[in-house]
Amino acid sequence: MIEDTPLKHLAVIMDGNGRWAKERGLKRTKGHEKGADAIRDITTYCADHPTIHSVTFYAFSTENWKRPKLEVEFLMKLLDTYLKKELPIYQKHNVRFQAIGDMNGFSKSLQKRIKETEELTKGNTSLTQVLALNYGGRAEITHSVNRLIQEGKKSVTEEDISKHLQTTYQDIDLLIRTSGEERISNFLLWQISYAEFYFTPTLWPDFEVTELDTIIQNYTQRTRRFGGVK
Ligand code: IPE
Ligand code: IPE
Ligand code: MG
């Protein structure tokens, strides 16, 4: 057990919705629907966990606009429905909702839903659930540097860049990616510098709390050295 580095911030790349649907002869959109449902139990588990204070889910990347228009439109609608349905659940489990990414890419009504959900849950304290929406790690870092330039900085420190990231939350302790792909796909590039990685072949819609529990057990067996000696 790594007492000095408890799991505080978990990040999840929810991948494999399309393949889940394909395996069943269904449309990709069905996979996304099932995938959205899978987020709830994982969030509740995190809210009840003694050390996790934040969970960040990758829901839509800056590169996902390359997908067919109909799929993108479906995902936007699904996000709106998800947030609407989720609000009472956030309140019940004392979960704060936050979004990271460039919300300007979304419709005015979706932006409003996101803002409202953030506003209505901002006093909740058991967990922060972050959804990365129209998010890219490079875009986030570039944005931070541009803000520093606007402030007139001639040179910047790591701390300066960290402070101007969209969210100034702590580094990631554990990053999980489902579906067997072993890549980062432009997620939280700055925040994962010393994250532990776990790749599972499970497709996101099939990912359950029992597996998360096993992965967390595995995390607690690891030795995190951060470049030092232990
Ligand atoms: C992840 O599942 C969800 C999003 C990126 C929105 P995918 O849609 O990428 O599913 P696969 O990778 O095609 O199976
Ligand atoms: C990463 O999955 C983005 C999200 C899960 C939102 P992708 O399916 O878009 O990633 P690639 O294209 O396989 O790298
Ligand atoms: Mg994918």
Side-chain angles (χ1 to χ4, degrees):
M1 175 78 186
I2 22 181
E3 283 92 3
D4 51 345
T5 52
L7 176 54
K8 292 194 237 164
H9 191 176
L10 173 70
V12 186
I13 302 179
M14 310 183 282
D15 199 13
N17 293 351
R19 278 163 283 170
W20 182 91
K22 197 173 175 202
E23 277 178 5
R24 287 161 180 78
L26 303 168
K27 286 191 187 155
R28 292 178 57 83
T29 49
K30 281 283 162 216
H32 294 315
E33 259 170 19
K34 189 80 175 30
D37 286 342
I39 302 173
R40 180 176 299 147
D41 283 355
I42 302 301
T43 302
T44 311
Y45 172 97
C46 292
D48 292 340
H49 191 278
T51 61
I52 299 175
H53 63 58
S54 304
V55 57
T56 300
F57 293 101
Y58 205 7
F60 194 85
S61 75
T62 45
E63 287 72 48
N64 285 146
W65 297 105
K66 291 180 193 161
R67 295 187 177 205
K69 193 165 172 266
L70 279 179
E71 180 169 344
V72 171
E73 278 171 10
F74 182 88
L75 286 168
M76 297 300 138
K77 227 189 284 156
L78 183 63
L79 180 57
D80 192 64
T81 319
Y82 170 82
L83 289 176
K84 192 172 162 193
K85 216 162 76 181
E86 225 49 25
L87 184 60
I89 318 265
Y90 289 137
Q91 306 298 36
K92 181 171 171 214
H93 293 279
N94 195 18
V95 174
R96 176 178 192 172
F97 165 78
Q98 275 184 339
I100 53 167
D102 182 4
M103 301 311 134
N104 293 319
F106 300 136
S107 70
K108 286 277 170 282
S109 63
L110 183 53
Q111 287 185 42
K112 188 164 171 255
R113 171 86 64 205
I114 292 166
K115 271 264 148 295
E116 272 172 11
T117 313
E118 284 181 332
E119 211 33 56
L120 291 166
T121 60
K122 72 177 181 203
N124 294 347
T125 53
S126 73
L127 177 81
T128 300
Q129 184 216 56
V130 182
L131 289 192
L133 306 168
N134 192 20
Y135 175 88
R138 287 187 173 184
E140 188 186 27
I141 297 166
T142 307
H143 185 255
S144 167
V145 172
N146 276 322
R147 282 185 53 190
L148 291 160
I149 291 170
Q150 281 155 18
E151 286 174 11
K153 282 245 165 31
K154 292 278 177 290
S155 75
V156 297
T157 62
E158 290 186 11
E159 228 192 347
D160 289 331
I161 294 180
S162 292
K163 270 199 204 133
H164 286 72
L165 293 175
Q166 240 200 327
T167 47
T168 50
Y169 55 67
Q170 287 171 331
D171 288 347
I172 303 298
D173 295 304
L174 173 64
L175 171 78
I176 300 170
R177 182 169 187 149
T178 60
S179 89
E181 307 298 350
E182 301 188 355
R183 57 178 170 263
I184 299 303
S185 303
N186 202 12
F187 193 36
L188 300 173
L189 298 179
W190 185 270
Q191 297 89 340
I192 57 167
S193 62
Y194 267 102
E196 296 294 321
F197 289 176
Y198 195 101
F199 299 104
T200 168
T202 306
L203 302 173
W204 175 253
D206 289 330
F207 190 77
E208 289 177 353
V209 159
T210 45
E211 184 169 6
L212 176 58
D213 205 48
T214 308
I215 294 171
I216 292 177
Q217 290 306 316
N218 173 287
Y219 169 87
T220 61
Q221 303 306 315
R222 298 185 187 188
T223 306
R224 299 181 72 188
R225 280 182 282 271
F226 300 95
V229 181
K230 260 186 196 163

